[in-house]
Structures are given as C-alpha cells and as structure tokens.
Amino acid sequence: MRARGALIAAALTAPLALAPLASATEGSLYAVGVGALVNHRVPDEQCNSRQDGAVFGVFCPPAAPSLQGAKWQIDLRTPWGGTTIESISWRAVRYHETPTSIALEALGDGNPVWGVAEQDVPRSPAAPKAYLVSLRGQTVSLRLRQTETRQQPNRVWSIIEPTINVRDLDAPTIALRGLPADWVTGDEMRVDWSAADNLGSDGIGQQRIVVASRLKWAGAPGQGAHGVVFGLTDIPDGVHQVRLEADGDGTAPAATQTGVVRIDRAPPSARVDVAPSGPDRVRLTTSVADATSGVRAWTLRAGGTAGPVVASGTAAGSAVEASLGDYVGPGQSVAFYLSAEDNAGHVTSFVSDLVGRAAPGATSALPTVLVGPDAELGEPGRIEASGAALPNFSRIQTLGLSSAHALGSTRAGRRKVPVIEGTYGRPVGVRGRFVHANRRGLRGATVYLLDPTGRTHATTLTDRRGRFRFTARPRRPGVWRVIALGRPLVVTQAYILVRPLVRTRVSALALRPGDTLRVSGVVRPRAKARGKSVLLQWRRGEEWRPLATTRTDRRGRFALGYRFNPAGGGYSVRLRVVVPREQGWRFAPIVAKRLRVVIG
C-alpha cells in the first residue's frame, strides 16, 4: 500500500506545466488545457481523485462488490463563442498490475464517441500512452467506467494533460472609424479603424489598407483600435476609394469596409487676358479652373492685391469690359490682379499684361497692351520705354509659334499658345513669323526670345518672309515670349514644360531567380533635385504598379533595388523608372527609363 501511495505521489508531483489558456497551433486550431475544465467528479464515491496542475490521479481501493458505472469523470468546454471542439488529447498510465473491468472513454456533448478497455493503458514504469480522439462538440468528457459489478482490487491511474483543440469558426469584424472629412492637401493621410474577433488578436491575421487600388499599408496589429499615417505620393489627385481588409486566422476574411478620400494638392489655374475694346477701354477675360475640388471664388482687382474690385465670381470665369479712366490717368499703365481659391483651400494668383492708357495727343486712343510689366520684359521693354526711334509696328501681326516638340496648344484669351515639352538644358527649336496686315513678311526685324523671368535668351533677325527661328535651352518652365522690337512691341508666346534631365544605369537585364535588380542614376538640376522621389514600377495588365521607391541625395543621385522571388523563373517583367510630379517640384513628370528584365 505504501508503494502504491509513493507511485501516486510521484505521478502527481511530476514537473508538468499547466497548459496555457489558448495558443494557436495551426490555422484556426487552438489548444486549451485544464483552463477549459468545468467539472471534475467521482460519481459513486467508491474512488478518490486529486488534481495537481494538469495531472489527475485516480485511486479506487478494494471493493466487494465494486458497482457498475462511472468511477471518475472530467468535463471540458470550449471557452469562446463561435468555436467548436475539434479533438481532445491526453496521456494515461496505470499503477496496478492486473487489468480490471474498467474502460477509458471519451464523450462529446455527453454522448460516447470513443473507448478502450483498461489493458490498453500501459502499466508503470512504462511511459504514459498518448491519446488523440477526433470529435465535434461544445463539451467533451473523459471518464473511467466500470463495465460490470464485481469485486475489484486496488486500482490507480494518472490522466496527464488533457487538452482540447478548439477550431475558430467566426471571421473577424472590422470598422473604419476615421477618414479625412475634408480635402487632403498634403502627401500624407491618416486612417483610423478597429478590429475584433471572438478569439482576440489570435483570431486576426494581416490587416490592409488599399487606396485607389494601391496597397498603402499592411500589418498585423491584432485586436483593438488602430491608426496609421502613410504617404500619398503615388496617388493622383481626385476622389478615391479607401478599402480596409482583414484576414481571419484560418477562418474567412472579415467583410471589407470602404470609404472615400478626396485629394487635391494642386492650386487652381487662373489667368486674365487683356485686349483693347475701344478708346480707354479694355476687355478682361478671366479663366479659372480646378478639375479636382472645383473653384470656390475668384476676385479681379486693378492695380494690386488691395486695389478696387473689377469683377468677382464663383464660376469658371467671365469676360468684362472696364474703363481705364476709372483706375489710372492718361499716359499711365495698370495691371490687373486675379486671385482664385479652390474648395480644398489652395490659393493662386495671376498678374495680367500691363495696359497703358493713351497719353493726350496720342495718334491712337486705343490702350497699349504690354506683355508683362516692363521689368519682366527685359531689354525689349526698356528700349521701347526709352523713347528711342523704333519702326511703327501698329499694323504688324504675329502668326504665333510652333515647335517640333509641341504637345498641343492652349488658349490665353483669344490667343492660341503652343505647349512645348523640353528637357532641362537640352535644345528645343522654336519658330514663328511676323507679317504686315497684308500678310507680307516683316523683313529684317530684331526679334528677342525671353525666358519666364524676362531675361533675353537669344536674339535674331527675321528673313525676307518674316520668319525667325530660335534654339532654346530651357532651365525653367513657364511662359517664354518672342518679341519683335518696334512701337508697340509685337509679342507672341509659348508655354514650355521642362522635364528633369535623368540619367540611369541598370545592373543587368537577365537575372536568375533570387537575384537583385539594381538601378542607379542622377537627376538634374542637382540644386533642385535633393530629396526628390524616384519610383521603380512594373507593368501588370494595363496598370503600372510601384515596386520600389527611393529619394535622391543632396547631389541628385539615386539607387533602386528589388530582389526577385527565388522560386520559379522563365518569365519577363516590364519595368520603368519614373520621376513623378510632387508638391514643390516645378518640373514635369518623366518616364526616365523603360526596360524588360528576363528572369531565367
């Protein structure tokens, strides 16, 4: 008897740790130890039982007779809603030599689903035998049941670490809690949301935020309230869908939550064109547009930002007639200032051409329109203002400008202005023609090419047909003007978009699986390119998607890298290097390099 007691004590004091309440094992299967125990009993009191941590010792003394029925039983229940018990596992050993009429059984929701005779349980000092029984239910029981009424000897068992394996059935739930209510005007935004699951953080896998079909953030923060700030440099202005997704840990994903974000990082476009409409009168044509958030209001003033209001409105623009006598005296000049605001809060302004009121005794009472203030016209404006003898160009006309690099044209009032695309510091050809009223060419006229700051970029003479040609090397985008020097000046203009000068170098176009593609280069102008973003994109169907992003250093240099999947091969990928438009970056976006990489 003492030996039997020592065996029981040894089993009950063995170094067995208490099973944790829940720990994910595979997918949505969770192991729960004695924390799931809801009942431990000896039904007819002919036996004794003791629990020590995750070990149950059962001792039945000799009985004559020992009654038929359950002698020992434990019940375990899944601790969470939305789950079911998938299986139960345990180990068992007996300490008496001769098997008795006892059966070891497992029950699911109170119904027997498995059982073995006692001789299946090994006898000490053999190692305990491990058991695993599959079932489905909310409760599971283990019991020792005597199958017949008869005399029984001493009987001693140890049931070690009973553990239920619980499967999660319910998907997590998510909710978008906070999106920007107003227009986003910067390159970052914040999204707040919450996630929950019947198993807490263990039941939630990866969570993702997608904006305009682009993955902007992914992580596994678990259950609770979350918030994240991410960049929007690759998202164009406009109204876009925001989609929140969350995976279940082996269950179905959460129902997708969607919202809307409105992005407008660009100010409205604004312009006012001036044309004489009679003695001392001008026609002012305002053009205000914002394709994203729309125009909130605009105001046109005379003489400065604090001058008298000439016109205002909320529409795209208007045309009004104004008397110069209301704003300046004879022989004086005035410019008109247009300010406009869009619904995102961006404000822009535009200064009209300078308009001169006819002086007393002038040959013509019509106002003189000078393109830009004198200070912005450089040398031609100063020559005209000096009073030097100049040819009479009152009947000279311009046929406009053209270029092989023209992308199209836009209108500035009634004038058609070409839009030309050039590369920083690289030559761009511009040509045009000045003619008399009868369309005969203006021969031998001095013609100036002015950059957007009003500085003279080049000078030439018209040929016998009034034609001229310039080669510009643009370093600044904006309105470039060509001026025929006479009185008045005859001005034509073009808008030149300037792309940065980008040089790139690719490590290799044929790679093996697992190799890294490296693309390096430099962006010019160096003084403006510090911190400029550069993107490596790949083509998927009809869409270009970001693959890698970097920023240039203080010398305009950049380096991009992407490691291809080591698995697979035998395919090619279309890639491109892009220097995109950004706030504060005045140059046009450019696709600097296109390439096709073969993964062998």
Side-chain angles (χ1 to χ4, degrees):
M1 198 57 190
R2 249 178 229 175
R4 297 285 175 109
L7 288 172
I8 296 173
L12 294 177
T13 57
L16 296 171
L18 183 66
L21 179 61
S23 59
T25 54
E26 60 87 13
S28 56
L29 199 61
Y30 296 80
V32 188
V34 294
L37 184 68
V38 294
N39 196 16
H40 175 201
R41 56 198 174 96
V42 284
D44 62 5
E45 300 183 352
Q46 285 193 326
C47 296
N48 299 303
S49 178
R50 174 184 169 188
Q51 179 185 357
D52 188 352
V55 179
F56 295 86
V58 183
F59 170 62
C60 296
S66 180
L67 301 176
Q68 183 180 358
K71 299 300 175 184
W72 169 86
Q73 183 171 326
I74 57 172
D75 304 318
L76 300 95
R77 177 184 295 276
T78 173
W80 309 285
T83 62
T84 186
I85 299 174
E86 189 87 358
S87 61
I88 181 171
S89 62
W90 73 95
R91 291 179 295 148
V93 66
R94 60 185 169 91
Y95 299 94
H96 49 279
E97 183 173 356
T98 304
T100 62
S101 55
I102 291 287
L104 176 60
E105 297 178 338
L107 295 77
D109 290 336
N111 302 309
V113 294
W114 175 90
V116 292
E118 187 196 38
Q119 55 263 35
D120 189 70
V121 179
R123 179 178 177 273
S124 181
K129 184 175 181 179
Y131 294 91
L132 175 64
V133 177
S134 297
L135 49 84
R136 276 296 180 100
Q138 295 300 303
T139 63
V140 63
S141 304
L142 286 179
R143 73 181 179 185
L144 292 169
R145 183 178 66 86
Q146 186 166 316
T147 59
E148 58 182 359
T149 300
R150 54 172 293 181
Q151 183 173 349
Q152 299 282 358
N154 280 334
R155 291 148 292 164
V156 182
W157 302 267
S158 282
I159 307 299
I160 304 166
E161 293 182 328
T163 302
I164 59 173
N165 297 305
V166 179
R167 183 169 296 282
D168 186 12
L169 302 178
D170 286 356
T173 59
I174 52 176
L176 276 170
R177 300 296 185 190
L179 288 175
D182 209 344
W183 287 91
V184 176
T185 58
D187 285 332
E188 290 184 340
M189 68 173 284
R190 179 183 177 90
V191 174
D192 294 287
W193 76 99
S194 63
D197 188 77
N198 56 328
L199 285 171
S201 295
D202 280 341
I204 307 175
Q206 187 186 67
Q207 301 173 48
R208 295 173 297 278
I209 296 174
V210 179
V211 180
S213 300
R214 292 177 173 88
L215 178 63
K216 300 304 301 176
W217 178 87
Q223 178 170 275
H226 311 297
V228 66
V229 177
F230 49 82
L232 296 170
T233 55
D234 60 332
I235 305 297
D237 287 359
V239 180
H240 303 290
Q241 184 190 74
V242 179
R243 189 169 72 251
L244 173 64
E245 303 171 347
D247 296 332
D249 186 15
T251 64
T256 299
Q257 298 287 299
T258 59
V260 171
V261 62
R262 301 177 298 167
I263 304 172
D264 187 0
R265 290 160 292 197
S269 63
R271 183 178 180 87
V272 56
D273 289 283
V274 182
S277 62
D280 283 346
R281 295 190 65 81
V282 290
R283 183 176 180 83
L284 304 172
T285 303
T286 59
S287 303
V288 182
D290 189 278
T292 307
S293 63
V295 177
R296 177 178 293 174
W298 59 267
T299 304
L300 181 65
R301 296 177 181 270
T305 56
V309 176
V310 179
S312 63
T314 57
S318 67
V320 297
E321 296 232 353
S323 172
L324 293 178
D326 295 338
Y327 309 113
V328 292
Q332 296 179 333
S333 300
V334 67
F336 295 89
Y337 289 72
L338 175 65
S339 63
E341 182 181 6
D342 64 16
N343 287 306
H346 298 294
V347 177
T348 191
S349 60
F350 184 87
V351 182
S352 78
D353 298 339
L354 192 65
V355 184
R357 188 180 176 191
T363 57
S364 173
L366 291 176
T368 300
V369 179
L370 301 178
V371 182
D374 287 347
E376 294 183 358
L377 282 174
E379 186 176 1
R382 289 195 296 272
I383 295 174
E384 189 200 34
S386 68
L390 294 175
N392 181 9
F393 280 1
S394 60
R395 294 178 59 81
I396 301 301
Q397 302 172 5
T398 173
L399 298 185
L401 297 176
S402 62
S403 172
H405 297 85
L407 299 176
S409 63
T410 184
R411 286 201 170 273
R414 290 178 293 180
R415 290 173 290 183
K416 192 174 182 181
V417 178
V419 178
I420 302 171
E421 186 175 51
T423 301
Y424 178 83
R426 294 296 178 87
V428 173
V430 178
R431 60 185 182 274
R433 190 179 177 207
F434 290 110
V435 298
H436 294 275
N438 60 4
R439 295 289 173 155
R440 184 169 54 87
L442 176 65
R443 181 177 181 178
T446 303
V447 181
Y448 291 80
L449 174 64
L450 273 59
D451 69 11
T453 66
R455 295 180 180 177
T456 299
H457 191 84
T459 305
T460 190
L461 296 175
T462 58
D463 64 11
R464 62 184 182 83
R465 297 185 60 189
R467 297 174 302 186
F468 60 88
R469 182 185 297 270
F470 287 109
T471 298
R473 295 182 180 271
R475 297 177 181 269
R476 180 187 296 270
V479 177
W480 290 62
R481 298 181 176 93
V482 174
I483 300 177
L485 183 58
R487 185 167 286 114
L489 300 176
V490 184
V491 182
T492 184
Q493 60 189 17
Y495 192 90
I496 299 183
L497 302 172
V498 181
R499 302 176 304 182
L501 177 61
V502 184
R503 296 187 177 94
T504 59
R505 183 172 57 191
V506 181
S507 60
L509 296 179
L511 301 173
R512 294 174 299 179
D515 284 355
T516 299
L517 173 69
R518 302 189 187 281
V519 181
S520 59
V522 63
V523 180
R524 293 290 184 268
R526 182 172 64 185
K528 302 293 184 181
R530 181 176 183 176
K532 180 69 184 74
S533 63
V534 183
L535 310 178
L536 178 63
Q537 299 177 331
W538 68 287
R539 183 69 175 265
R540 182 177 180 182
E542 297 299 319
E543 184 180 17
W544 287 98
R545 296 193 174 188
L547 201 62
T549 304
T550 190
R551 289 192 177 273
T552 57
D553 63 11
R554 61 185 180 87
R555 299 179 63 185
R557 298 173 302 185
F558 65 90
L560 292 158
Y562 181 77
R563 182 175 181 264
F564 288 93
N565 194 324
Y571 61 93
S572 64
V573 183
R574 294 171 61 188
L575 303 172
R576 69 179 186 180
V577 179
V578 178
V579 179
R581 187 189 305 276
E582 279 184 304
Q583 189 172 8
W585 177 251
R586 66 188 185 189
F587 297 97
I590 180 176
V591 177
K593 185 78 172 179
R594 296 179 185 270
L595 57 150
R596 182 184 292 271
V597 177
V598 178
I599 312 300

